[in-house]
Amino acid sequence: MANHKSALKRNRQNAVRRARNRTVRSKVKTFIKHIDDAIGQGSVTEAQAALKAAIPVIMKAASKGTLKKTTAARKVSRLAKRVNAFAVETAEAS
């Protein structure tokens, strides 16, 4: 355990930041799961709506520093690729 006043303060700050980062990461994962669920159900419009809702959440996490900007961009890119491929696949099957 920390003994110095500055180290105690640093521990308090780290605890607050850890809690904040955990909630943001959890929210990002939840929005990604919404996209996965929509794809699993076979609903193109739901998947596209879920992607549209997830992109701002992911990018906000990056702007706050919870995720690196390149990580957020990679996640968005891969999700968009999956949704677009699913939409094309569904359209061709019809």
Side-chain angles (χ1 to χ4, degrees):
M1 185 65 196
N3 293 319
H4 295 282
K5 192 173 181 182
S6 60
L8 291 168
K9 180 179 178 181
R10 178 57 64 191
N11 283 345
R12 287 195 307 271
Q13 289 175 329
N14 287 340
V16 169
R17 289 184 182 128
R18 179 172 179 260
R20 188 180 304 134
N21 287 339
R22 285 180 74 181
T23 57
V24 171
R25 269 192 229 106
S26 176
K27 191 172 186 181
V28 167
K29 288 179 186 178
T30 301
F31 275 82
I32 291 172
K33 283 178 191 171
H34 289 297
I35 296 170
D36 292 339
D37 292 343
I39 290 173
Q41 292 174 357
S43 174
V44 175
T45 54
E46 260 186 57
Q48 290 171 337
L51 176 65
K52 196 171 183 179
I55 289 173
V57 173
I58 295 170
M59 296 315 288
K60 189 171 184 179
S63 69
K64 298 291 182 185
T66 301
L67 296 176
K68 289 178 93 173
K69 293 196 185 317
T70 52
T71 302
R74 184 177 66 245
K75 283 183 183 296
V76 168
S77 174
R78 288 178 180 173
L79 288 170
K81 262 173 68 173
R82 280 179 54 207
V83 171
N84 290 338
F86 172 65
V88 168
E89 178 185 304
T90 307
E92 288 175 354
S94 300

